[in-house]
Amino acid sequence: QKEETKSLSQKMERSIEDRAALEIIRYSNCWEDADILLEALDVKERGTYLSIASAGDNTLAILSKGPGSVVAVDVSQAQLSCLELRASAFRHLSYEELLIFLGVQESGNRLAAYDLLRPTLSQEARRFWDMNKGLIGKGIIHAGKFENYFRLFRTWVLPLVHNKKTVDGLLREKAEEERASFYAVTWDTVQ
């Protein structure tokens, strides 16, 4: 029985590794709504929670509610490294430095911040990020394969559908009624 279970487990591991490159960042952001997650979990102070690490956003959102503990798991060391670096950045950087380091704001020198954070990381996370410093230079929120799909869409497909003026109009701050009207009249049309 134990050998059979072990063999099945090994087949599953090989199967996952064969189907997915675990050494790359698949998601550098979590695209779920953390507010909905937190409401659904109703995080308790002494509670223990299990989270898929992914890029770390949901795990850190759970931690923001002050639970007893949160255990983050992932089959990918790359994703665990994302969470670890993000957590370290939140602990050690000012708000302004954090926005720059993550990639929300422009910067020419994110590696200086990484050098400060590096000693706080596990050996595995240091090894991953040392081999992927180019991703840090771009800002880690832009490092995932999924985010690259968005970048390709924004660069190559969106301009075929809407011009820059229309895209800027969508992003301009508006009241709720104006947003709905803009969407119905300007955005959701065949050009």
Side-chain angles (χ1 to χ4, degrees), residues 73-139:
V73 297
D74 209 294
V75 296
S76 168
Q77 181 57 50
Q79 296 303 147
L80 290 167
S81 296
C82 284
L83 169 56
E84 195 172 330
L85 182 58
R86 191 176 247 117
S88 181
F90 271 91
R91 277 194 306 270
H92 298 286
L93 301 177
S94 70
Y95 179 72
E96 293 77 20
E97 292 169 332
L98 179 70
L99 293 178
I100 291 168
F101 179 72
L102 292 176
V104 175
Q105 296 179 358
E106 291 298 317
S107 172
N109 192 12
R110 290 186 178 93
L111 293 178
Y114 173 66
D115 289 341
L116 294 173
L117 300 172
R118 188 180 182 279
T120 68
L121 302 175
S122 68
Q123 182 178 358
E124 294 84 5
R126 279 195 309 269
R127 185 175 19 254
F128 176 83
W129 289 112
D130 287 350
M131 292 183 342
N132 291 284
K133 287 185 178 179
L135 298 176
I136 293 170
K138 294 177 188 177

Short mmCIF file of all heavy atoms in Angstrom, two decimals, residues 73-139:
data_model
loop_
_atom_site.label_atom_id
_atom_site.label_comp_id
_atom_site.label_asym_id
_atom_site.label_seq_id
_atom_site.Cartn_x
_atom_site.Cartn_y
_atom_site.Cartn_z
N VAL A 73 1.44 27.81 0.82
CA VAL A 73 2.01 26.67 0.10
C VAL A 73 1.96 26.94 -1.39
O VAL A 73 1.12 27.70 -1.87
CB VAL A 73 1.27 25.35 0.42
CG1 VAL A 73 1.40 25.01 1.89
CG2 VAL A 73 -0.20 25.43 0.02
N ASP A 74 2.87 26.33 -2.11
CA ASP A 74 2.86 26.40 -3.57
C ASP A 74 3.81 25.33 -4.09
O ASP A 74 4.80 25.01 -3.43
CB ASP A 74 3.31 27.78 -4.06
CG ASP A 74 2.68 28.14 -5.39
OD1 ASP A 74 2.99 27.45 -6.40
OD2 ASP A 74 1.88 29.08 -5.44
N VAL A 75 3.53 24.77 -5.26
CA VAL A 75 4.43 23.78 -5.84
C VAL A 75 5.62 24.45 -6.50
O VAL A 75 6.60 23.79 -6.84
CB VAL A 75 3.72 22.86 -6.87
CG1 VAL A 75 2.65 22.03 -6.20
CG2 VAL A 75 3.15 23.66 -8.03
N SER A 76 5.56 25.75 -6.69
CA SER A 76 6.59 26.48 -7.41
C SER A 76 7.46 27.31 -6.48
O SER A 76 6.97 28.20 -5.78
CB SER A 76 5.91 27.41 -8.44
OG SER A 76 6.83 28.33 -8.96
N GLN A 77 8.78 27.05 -6.52
CA GLN A 77 9.70 27.87 -5.74
C GLN A 77 9.67 29.32 -6.24
O GLN A 77 9.83 30.25 -5.46
CB GLN A 77 11.13 27.32 -5.82
CG GLN A 77 12.15 28.12 -5.02
CD GLN A 77 11.80 28.25 -3.54
OE1 GLN A 77 11.51 27.27 -2.87
NE2 GLN A 77 11.82 29.47 -3.02
N ALA A 78 9.44 29.52 -7.51
CA ALA A 78 9.35 30.88 -8.05
C ALA A 78 8.23 31.66 -7.37
O ALA A 78 8.41 32.82 -6.98
CB ALA A 78 9.14 30.84 -9.57
N GLN A 79 7.07 31.03 -7.23
CA GLN A 79 5.94 31.71 -6.59
C GLN A 79 6.20 31.93 -5.10
O GLN A 79 5.88 32.99 -4.56
CB GLN A 79 4.65 30.92 -6.80
CG GLN A 79 4.22 30.81 -8.25
CD GLN A 79 4.01 32.13 -8.97
OE1 GLN A 79 4.26 32.23 -10.15
NE2 GLN A 79 3.57 33.16 -8.28
N LEU A 80 6.81 30.96 -4.43
CA LEU A 80 7.16 31.14 -3.02
C LEU A 80 8.16 32.29 -2.87
O LEU A 80 8.08 33.07 -1.92
CB LEU A 80 7.72 29.85 -2.44
CG LEU A 80 6.71 28.71 -2.27
CD1 LEU A 80 7.42 27.40 -2.00
CD2 LEU A 80 5.70 29.03 -1.19
N SER A 81 9.08 32.40 -3.82
CA SER A 81 10.06 33.49 -3.79
C SER A 81 9.40 34.84 -3.98
O SER A 81 9.82 35.84 -3.40
CB SER A 81 11.14 33.27 -4.86
OG SER A 81 11.87 32.09 -4.56
N CYS A 82 8.35 34.89 -4.80
CA CYS A 82 7.59 36.14 -4.98
C CYS A 82 6.98 36.58 -3.65
O CYS A 82 7.09 37.74 -3.26
CB CYS A 82 6.46 35.95 -6.00
SG CYS A 82 7.00 35.93 -7.69
N LEU A 83 6.34 35.64 -2.97
CA LEU A 83 5.73 35.96 -1.68
C LEU A 83 6.78 36.42 -0.68
O LEU A 83 6.61 37.43 0.00
CB LEU A 83 4.98 34.74 -1.12
CG LEU A 83 4.52 34.83 0.33
CD1 LEU A 83 3.64 36.05 0.59
CD2 LEU A 83 3.81 33.55 0.74
N GLU A 84 7.89 35.71 -0.63
CA GLU A 84 8.92 36.04 0.36
C GLU A 84 9.52 37.42 0.12
O GLU A 84 9.70 38.21 1.04
CB GLU A 84 10.01 34.96 0.33
CG GLU A 84 10.89 35.02 1.54
CD GLU A 84 11.85 33.84 1.63
OE1 GLU A 84 11.53 32.74 1.15
OE2 GLU A 84 12.93 34.05 2.21
N LEU A 85 9.81 37.73 -1.13
CA LEU A 85 10.37 39.06 -1.45
C LEU A 85 9.36 40.16 -1.18
O LEU A 85 9.68 41.20 -0.62
CB LEU A 85 10.86 39.11 -2.90
CG LEU A 85 11.52 40.42 -3.33
CD1 LEU A 85 12.73 40.75 -2.45
CD2 LEU A 85 11.93 40.33 -4.80
N ARG A 86 8.12 39.92 -1.55
CA ARG A 86 7.06 40.91 -1.33
C ARG A 86 6.89 41.16 0.18
O ARG A 86 6.78 42.31 0.62
CB ARG A 86 5.77 40.41 -1.96
CG ARG A 86 4.68 41.42 -2.03
CD ARG A 86 3.47 40.85 -2.76
NE ARG A 86 3.30 41.53 -4.01
CZ ARG A 86 3.39 40.98 -5.20
NH1 ARG A 86 3.64 39.71 -5.34
NH2 ARG A 86 3.21 41.68 -6.29
N ALA A 87 6.84 40.10 0.97
CA ALA A 87 6.69 40.24 2.42
C ALA A 87 7.85 41.02 3.01
O ALA A 87 7.67 41.90 3.86
CB ALA A 87 6.58 38.86 3.08
N SER A 88 9.06 40.73 2.56
CA SER A 88 10.23 41.46 3.06
C SER A 88 10.16 42.93 2.68
O SER A 88 10.47 43.81 3.49
CB SER A 88 11.51 40.83 2.50
OG SER A 88 12.63 41.51 2.99
N ALA A 89 9.72 43.21 1.46
CA ALA A 89 9.60 44.60 1.01
C ALA A 89 8.59 45.35 1.87
O ALA A 89 8.83 46.50 2.27
CB ALA A 89 9.21 44.65 -0.47
N PHE A 90 7.46 44.72 2.19
CA PHE A 90 6.46 45.37 3.03
C PHE A 90 7.02 45.65 4.43
O PHE A 90 6.69 46.68 5.03
CB PHE A 90 5.20 44.50 3.15
CG PHE A 90 4.19 44.76 2.08
CD1 PHE A 90 4.22 44.04 0.90
CD2 PHE A 90 3.22 45.75 2.22
CE1 PHE A 90 3.29 44.27 -0.10
CE2 PHE A 90 2.29 45.99 1.23
CZ PHE A 90 2.32 45.26 0.06
N ARG A 91 7.84 44.75 4.94
CA ARG A 91 8.40 44.93 6.28
C ARG A 91 9.49 45.99 6.33
O ARG A 91 9.63 46.68 7.33
CB ARG A 91 8.98 43.61 6.79
CG ARG A 91 7.98 42.67 7.40
CD ARG A 91 8.64 41.54 8.19
NE ARG A 91 9.63 40.81 7.42
CZ ARG A 91 9.37 39.74 6.68
NH1 ARG A 91 8.17 39.26 6.60
NH2 ARG A 91 10.34 39.13 6.02
N HIS A 92 10.28 46.12 5.28
CA HIS A 92 11.51 46.90 5.39
C HIS A 92 11.56 48.19 4.56
O HIS A 92 12.49 48.98 4.74
CB HIS A 92 12.72 46.03 5.00
CG HIS A 92 12.88 44.85 5.90
ND1 HIS A 92 13.36 44.94 7.19
CD2 HIS A 92 12.61 43.53 5.71
CE1 HIS A 92 13.38 43.75 7.75
NE2 HIS A 92 12.92 42.87 6.87
N LEU A 93 10.61 48.41 3.68
CA LEU A 93 10.64 49.61 2.85
C LEU A 93 9.53 50.56 3.26
O LEU A 93 8.48 50.13 3.73
CB LEU A 93 10.48 49.25 1.37
CG LEU A 93 11.52 48.31 0.76
CD1 LEU A 93 11.17 47.99 -0.70
CD2 LEU A 93 12.92 48.92 0.85
N SER A 94 9.78 51.85 3.05
CA SER A 94 8.72 52.83 3.28
C SER A 94 7.66 52.65 2.20
O SER A 94 7.89 51.96 1.19
CB SER A 94 9.29 54.25 3.20
OG SER A 94 9.64 54.56 1.85
N TYR A 95 6.53 53.26 2.37
CA TYR A 95 5.44 53.15 1.39
C TYR A 95 5.91 53.60 0.01
O TYR A 95 5.67 52.91 -0.99
CB TYR A 95 4.24 53.97 1.87
CG TYR A 95 3.08 53.93 0.91
CD1 TYR A 95 2.31 52.78 0.78
CD2 TYR A 95 2.75 55.05 0.15
CE1 TYR A 95 1.24 52.73 -0.10
CE2 TYR A 95 1.68 55.00 -0.74
CZ TYR A 95 0.92 53.83 -0.86
OH TYR A 95 -0.13 53.79 -1.74
N GLU A 96 6.59 54.74 -0.06
CA GLU A 96 7.07 55.26 -1.34
C GLU A 96 8.11 54.33 -1.96
O GLU A 96 8.07 54.05 -3.16
CB GLU A 96 7.67 56.66 -1.17
CG GLU A 96 6.66 57.73 -0.78
CD GLU A 96 6.24 57.69 0.70
OE1 GLU A 96 6.97 57.10 1.54
OE2 GLU A 96 5.16 58.22 1.00
N GLU A 97 9.02 53.82 -1.14
CA GLU A 97 10.04 52.87 -1.63
C GLU A 97 9.39 51.58 -2.12
O GLU A 97 9.81 51.01 -3.13
CB GLU A 97 11.04 52.55 -0.51
CG GLU A 97 11.92 53.71 -0.11
CD GLU A 97 12.70 53.44 1.17
OE1 GLU A 97 12.22 52.66 2.03
OE2 GLU A 97 13.80 54.02 1.32
N LEU A 98 8.35 51.14 -1.42
CA LEU A 98 7.64 49.92 -1.79
C LEU A 98 7.00 50.06 -3.17
O LEU A 98 7.13 49.18 -4.02
CB LEU A 98 6.58 49.60 -0.74
CG LEU A 98 5.72 48.37 -1.00
CD1 LEU A 98 6.54 47.10 -0.85
CD2 LEU A 98 4.54 48.35 -0.06
N LEU A 99 6.31 51.19 -3.40
CA LEU A 99 5.68 51.41 -4.70
C LEU A 99 6.70 51.40 -5.84
O LEU A 99 6.45 50.83 -6.91
CB LEU A 99 4.92 52.74 -4.71
CG LEU A 99 3.69 52.82 -3.80
CD1 LEU A 99 3.07 54.21 -3.87
CD2 LEU A 99 2.67 51.75 -4.15
N ILE A 100 7.84 51.98 -5.58
CA ILE A 100 8.91 52.00 -6.60
C ILE A 100 9.46 50.59 -6.80
O ILE A 100 9.59 50.11 -7.92
CB ILE A 100 10.02 52.99 -6.20
CG1 ILE A 100 9.49 54.42 -6.29
CG2 ILE A 100 11.25 52.80 -7.07
CD1 ILE A 100 10.39 55.46 -5.64
N PHE A 101 9.77 49.91 -5.70
CA PHE A 101 10.38 48.58 -5.79
C PHE A 101 9.46 47.59 -6.50
O PHE A 101 9.90 46.83 -7.37
CB PHE A 101 10.73 48.05 -4.39
CG PHE A 101 11.35 46.68 -4.43
CD1 PHE A 101 12.64 46.51 -4.92
CD2 PHE A 101 10.63 45.57 -4.01
CE1 PHE A 101 13.21 45.24 -4.98
CE2 PHE A 101 11.19 44.29 -4.07
CZ PHE A 101 12.49 44.14 -4.56
N LEU A 102 8.19 47.60 -6.15
CA LEU A 102 7.26 46.64 -6.76
C LEU A 102 7.07 46.90 -8.24
O LEU A 102 6.82 45.97 -9.01
CB LEU A 102 5.91 46.69 -6.05
CG LEU A 102 5.89 46.18 -4.61
CD1 LEU A 102 4.50 46.37 -4.00
CD2 LEU A 102 6.32 44.73 -4.52
N GLY A 103 7.17 48.16 -8.66
CA GLY A 103 6.99 48.49 -10.07
C GLY A 103 5.77 49.35 -10.34
O GLY A 103 5.42 49.58 -11.49
N VAL A 104 5.12 49.83 -9.28
CA VAL A 104 3.97 50.71 -9.45
C VAL A 104 4.43 52.05 -10.00
O VAL A 104 3.76 52.66 -10.83
CB VAL A 104 3.21 50.90 -8.11
CG1 VAL A 104 2.09 51.92 -8.24
CG2 VAL A 104 2.69 49.56 -7.61
N GLN A 105 5.60 52.50 -9.53
CA GLN A 105 6.19 53.75 -10.02
C GLN A 105 7.51 53.44 -10.70
O GLN A 105 8.15 52.44 -10.42
CB GLN A 105 6.40 54.72 -8.85
CG GLN A 105 5.10 55.16 -8.22
CD GLN A 105 5.32 56.10 -7.04
OE1 GLN A 105 6.44 56.42 -6.67
NE2 GLN A 105 4.23 56.55 -6.45
N GLU A 106 7.92 54.32 -11.59
CA GLU A 106 9.15 54.15 -12.36
C GLU A 106 10.39 54.24 -11.46
O GLU A 106 10.40 54.95 -10.47
CB GLU A 106 9.25 55.20 -13.46
CG GLU A 106 8.24 55.02 -14.57
CD GLU A 106 8.41 53.71 -15.31
OE1 GLU A 106 9.55 53.30 -15.61
OE2 GLU A 106 7.37 53.06 -15.57
N SER A 107 11.42 53.52 -11.85
CA SER A 107 12.70 53.57 -11.15
C SER A 107 13.79 53.02 -12.06
O SER A 107 13.55 52.10 -12.84
CB SER A 107 12.67 52.73 -9.88
OG SER A 107 13.97 52.64 -9.32
N GLY A 108 14.97 53.56 -11.91
CA GLY A 108 16.10 53.04 -12.64
C GLY A 108 16.98 52.17 -11.78
O GLY A 108 17.98 51.61 -12.24
N ASN A 109 16.64 52.03 -10.47
CA ASN A 109 17.55 51.32 -9.58
C ASN A 109 16.82 50.52 -8.50
O ASN A 109 16.98 50.79 -7.32
CB ASN A 109 18.54 52.30 -8.94
CG ASN A 109 19.68 51.58 -8.25
OD1 ASN A 109 19.86 50.38 -8.43
ND2 ASN A 109 20.43 52.31 -7.47
N ARG A 110 16.05 49.55 -8.90
CA ARG A 110 15.37 48.68 -7.93
C ARG A 110 16.36 47.69 -7.30
O ARG A 110 16.10 47.16 -6.23
CB ARG A 110 14.24 47.93 -8.61
CG ARG A 110 13.09 48.84 -8.99
CD ARG A 110 11.91 48.07 -9.54
NE ARG A 110 10.86 49.01 -9.83
CZ ARG A 110 10.67 49.56 -11.03
NH1 ARG A 110 11.45 49.24 -12.04
NH2 ARG A 110 9.69 50.43 -11.22
N LEU A 111 17.47 47.46 -7.97
CA LEU A 111 18.43 46.49 -7.44
C LEU A 111 19.08 46.95 -6.14
O LEU A 111 19.47 46.13 -5.32
CB LEU A 111 19.49 46.16 -8.49
CG LEU A 111 18.94 45.41 -9.71
CD1 LEU A 111 20.05 45.17 -10.73
CD2 LEU A 111 18.28 44.10 -9.31
N ALA A 112 19.15 48.26 -5.92
CA ALA A 112 19.69 48.77 -4.65
C ALA A 112 18.76 48.36 -3.51
O ALA A 112 19.23 47.95 -2.44
CB ALA A 112 19.84 50.29 -4.71
N ALA A 113 17.46 48.44 -3.73
CA ALA A 113 16.51 48.00 -2.70
C ALA A 113 16.62 46.49 -2.50
O ALA A 113 16.57 46.00 -1.37
CB ALA A 113 15.09 48.39 -3.09
N TYR A 114 16.77 45.75 -3.60
CA TYR A 114 16.94 44.30 -3.48
C TYR A 114 18.16 43.97 -2.63
O TYR A 114 18.11 43.06 -1.78
CB TYR A 114 17.05 43.62 -4.85
CG TYR A 114 17.40 42.15 -4.74
CD1 TYR A 114 16.50 41.25 -4.17
CD2 TYR A 114 18.63 41.67 -5.16
CE1 TYR A 114 16.82 39.91 -4.03
CE2 TYR A 114 18.95 40.33 -5.03
CZ TYR A 114 18.04 39.46 -4.46
OH TYR A 114 18.36 38.13 -4.32
N ASP A 115 19.25 44.69 -2.82
CA ASP A 115 20.46 44.45 -2.03
C ASP A 115 20.18 44.62 -0.54
O ASP A 115 20.76 43.90 0.28
CB ASP A 115 21.60 45.38 -2.48
CG ASP A 115 22.15 45.00 -3.84
OD1 ASP A 115 21.94 43.84 -4.29
OD2 ASP A 115 22.78 45.87 -4.48
N LEU A 116 19.29 45.55 -0.19
CA LEU A 116 18.93 45.73 1.22
C LEU A 116 18.03 44.60 1.72
O LEU A 116 18.13 44.19 2.88
CB LEU A 116 18.19 47.07 1.41
CG LEU A 116 19.01 48.33 1.15
CD1 LEU A 116 18.11 49.57 1.19
CD2 LEU A 116 20.14 48.46 2.17
N LEU A 117 17.15 44.10 0.85
CA LEU A 117 16.21 43.05 1.24
C LEU A 117 16.83 41.65 1.21
O LEU A 117 16.41 40.76 1.94
CB LEU A 117 14.99 43.08 0.32
CG LEU A 117 14.18 44.37 0.30
CD1 LEU A 117 13.12 44.33 -0.79
CD2 LEU A 117 13.57 44.65 1.67
N ARG A 118 17.81 41.47 0.37
CA ARG A 118 18.40 40.15 0.12
C ARG A 118 18.77 39.38 1.39
O ARG A 118 18.45 38.19 1.51
CB ARG A 118 19.61 40.30 -0.80
CG ARG A 118 20.17 38.98 -1.28
CD ARG A 118 21.38 39.20 -2.21
NE ARG A 118 21.86 37.93 -2.70
CZ ARG A 118 22.66 37.12 -2.01
NH1 ARG A 118 23.08 37.47 -0.79
NH2 ARG A 118 23.04 35.96 -2.52
N PRO A 119 19.43 40.01 2.38
CA PRO A 119 19.81 39.24 3.59
C PRO A 119 18.61 38.74 4.40
O PRO A 119 18.76 37.84 5.21
CB PRO A 119 20.62 40.25 4.41
CG PRO A 119 21.03 41.31 3.46
CD PRO A 119 19.99 41.36 2.39
N THR A 120 17.42 39.30 4.15
CA THR A 120 16.25 38.87 4.92
C THR A 120 15.55 37.66 4.29
O THR A 120 14.61 37.13 4.88
CB THR A 120 15.21 40.02 5.01
OG1 THR A 120 14.65 40.26 3.71
CG2 THR A 120 15.85 41.29 5.56
N LEU A 121 16.02 37.24 3.13
CA LEU A 121 15.37 36.15 2.39
C LEU A 121 16.01 34.80 2.71
O LEU A 121 17.18 34.73 3.08
CB LEU A 121 15.48 36.41 0.88
CG LEU A 121 14.89 37.71 0.36
CD1 LEU A 121 15.19 37.85 -1.13
CD2 LEU A 121 13.41 37.78 0.64
N SER A 122 15.24 33.76 2.52
CA SER A 122 15.76 32.40 2.67
C SER A 122 16.78 32.14 1.57
O SER A 122 16.82 32.85 0.55
CB SER A 122 14.63 31.37 2.58
OG SER A 122 14.12 31.35 1.24
N GLN A 123 17.57 31.11 1.74
CA GLN A 123 18.57 30.74 0.73
C GLN A 123 17.91 30.45 -0.62
O GLN A 123 18.40 30.87 -1.66
CB GLN A 123 19.35 29.52 1.22
CG GLN A 123 20.44 29.09 0.28
CD GLN A 123 21.22 27.89 0.82
OE1 GLN A 123 20.99 27.40 1.91
NE2 GLN A 123 22.17 27.43 0.04
N GLU A 124 16.77 29.77 -0.60
CA GLU A 124 16.07 29.44 -1.85
C GLU A 124 15.60 30.69 -2.57
O GLU A 124 15.74 30.82 -3.78
CB GLU A 124 14.88 28.51 -1.58
CG GLU A 124 15.26 27.14 -1.08
CD GLU A 124 15.48 27.10 0.44
OE1 GLU A 124 15.26 28.13 1.13
OE2 GLU A 124 15.90 26.04 0.93
N ALA A 125 15.01 31.62 -1.82
CA ALA A 125 14.52 32.86 -2.43
C ALA A 125 15.68 33.71 -2.94
O ALA A 125 15.60 34.29 -4.03
CB ALA A 125 13.67 33.65 -1.44
N ARG A 126 16.76 33.79 -2.18
CA ARG A 126 17.94 34.53 -2.64
C ARG A 126 18.47 33.95 -3.94
O ARG A 126 18.77 34.67 -4.89
CB ARG A 126 19.06 34.52 -1.59
CG ARG A 126 18.90 35.52 -0.50
CD ARG A 126 20.18 35.70 0.31
NE ARG A 126 20.78 34.47 0.78
CZ ARG A 126 20.51 33.90 1.95
NH1 ARG A 126 19.64 34.45 2.77
NH2 ARG A 126 21.12 32.78 2.30
N ARG A 127 18.56 32.63 -3.99
CA ARG A 127 19.05 31.96 -5.20
C ARG A 127 18.14 32.30 -6.40
O ARG A 127 18.62 32.65 -7.47
CB ARG A 127 19.13 30.45 -4.98
CG ARG A 127 19.73 29.69 -6.14
CD ARG A 127 19.93 28.19 -5.92
NE ARG A 127 19.18 27.57 -4.85
CZ ARG A 127 19.69 27.18 -3.67
NH1 ARG A 127 20.98 27.35 -3.43
NH2 ARG A 127 18.94 26.62 -2.77
N PHE A 128 16.83 32.21 -6.19
CA PHE A 128 15.90 32.51 -7.28
C PHE A 128 16.07 33.95 -7.76
O PHE A 128 16.21 34.20 -8.96
CB PHE A 128 14.43 32.27 -6.87
CG PHE A 128 13.48 32.66 -7.95
CD1 PHE A 128 13.20 31.78 -8.98
CD2 PHE A 128 12.89 33.91 -7.96
CE1 PHE A 128 12.34 32.15 -10.01
CE2 PHE A 128 12.03 34.29 -8.98
CZ PHE A 128 11.76 33.40 -10.01
N TRP A 129 16.05 34.91 -6.84
CA TRP A 129 16.11 36.32 -7.24
C TRP A 129 17.49 36.72 -7.74
O TRP A 129 17.60 37.56 -8.64
CB TRP A 129 15.63 37.23 -6.11
CG TRP A 129 14.15 37.10 -5.92
CD1 TRP A 129 13.50 36.56 -4.84
CD2 TRP A 129 13.13 37.46 -6.86
NE1 TRP A 129 12.14 36.58 -5.06
CE2 TRP A 129 11.89 37.13 -6.28
CE3 TRP A 129 13.15 38.04 -8.13
CZ2 TRP A 129 10.67 37.37 -6.94
CZ3 TRP A 129 11.94 38.28 -8.77
CH2 TRP A 129 10.73 37.94 -8.18
N ASP A 130 18.54 36.10 -7.23
CA ASP A 130 19.88 36.38 -7.75
C ASP A 130 19.99 35.97 -9.22
O ASP A 130 20.68 36.62 -10.01
CB ASP A 130 20.95 35.65 -6.94
CG ASP A 130 21.18 36.27 -5.56
OD1 ASP A 130 20.65 37.37 -5.28
OD2 ASP A 130 21.89 35.63 -4.75
N MET A 131 19.28 34.91 -9.58
CA MET A 131 19.30 34.45 -10.97
C MET A 131 18.30 35.21 -11.85
O MET A 131 18.29 35.05 -13.06
CB MET A 131 18.99 32.95 -11.04
CG MET A 131 20.10 32.11 -10.44
SD MET A 131 19.88 30.29 -10.56
CE MET A 131 18.19 30.02 -10.88
N ASN A 132 17.46 36.04 -11.23
CA ASN A 132 16.41 36.74 -11.97
C ASN A 132 16.38 38.24 -11.65
O ASN A 132 15.32 38.84 -11.54
CB ASN A 132 15.04 36.11 -11.66
CG ASN A 132 14.93 34.73 -12.24
OD1 ASN A 132 14.74 34.56 -13.43
ND2 ASN A 132 15.07 33.72 -11.38
N LYS A 133 17.56 38.82 -11.52
CA LYS A 133 17.64 40.25 -11.18
C LYS A 133 17.00 41.13 -12.24
O LYS A 133 16.51 42.21 -11.93
CB LYS A 133 19.09 40.66 -10.94
CG LYS A 133 19.63 40.13 -9.63
CD LYS A 133 21.02 40.65 -9.35
CE LYS A 133 21.49 40.15 -8.00
NZ LYS A 133 22.84 40.61 -7.69
N GLY A 134 16.97 40.67 -13.48
CA GLY A 134 16.32 41.45 -14.54
C GLY A 134 14.83 41.66 -14.25
O GLY A 134 14.27 42.71 -14.58
N LEU A 135 14.20 40.67 -13.62
CA LEU A 135 12.79 40.81 -13.26
C LEU A 135 12.61 41.86 -12.17
O LEU A 135 11.63 42.60 -12.17
CB LEU A 135 12.22 39.47 -12.79
CG LEU A 135 12.23 38.33 -13.83
CD1 LEU A 135 11.72 37.05 -13.20
CD2 LEU A 135 11.42 38.71 -15.05
N ILE A 136 13.55 41.91 -11.25
CA ILE A 136 13.50 42.93 -10.20
C ILE A 136 13.66 44.31 -10.82
O ILE A 136 12.95 45.25 -10.46
CB ILE A 136 14.60 42.68 -9.13
CG1 ILE A 136 14.30 41.39 -8.38
CG2 ILE A 136 14.71 43.87 -8.17
CD1 ILE A 136 15.41 40.93 -7.47
N GLY A 137 14.56 44.43 -11.78
CA GLY A 137 14.79 45.72 -12.44
C GLY A 137 13.55 46.27 -13.11
O GLY A 137 13.35 47.48 -13.15
N LYS A 138 12.68 45.39 -13.62
CA LYS A 138 11.43 45.81 -14.26
C LYS A 138 10.35 46.15 -13.24
O LYS A 138 9.36 46.79 -13.57
CB LYS A 138 10.89 44.70 -15.16
CG LYS A 138 11.74 44.37 -16.33
CD LYS A 138 11.11 43.20 -17.08
CE LYS A 138 12.02 42.69 -18.16
NZ LYS A 138 11.46 41.51 -18.83
N GLY A 139 10.51 45.65 -12.03
CA GLY A 139 9.46 45.74 -11.01
C GLY A 139 8.76 44.41 -10.94
O GLY A 139 8.27 43.91 -11.96
#
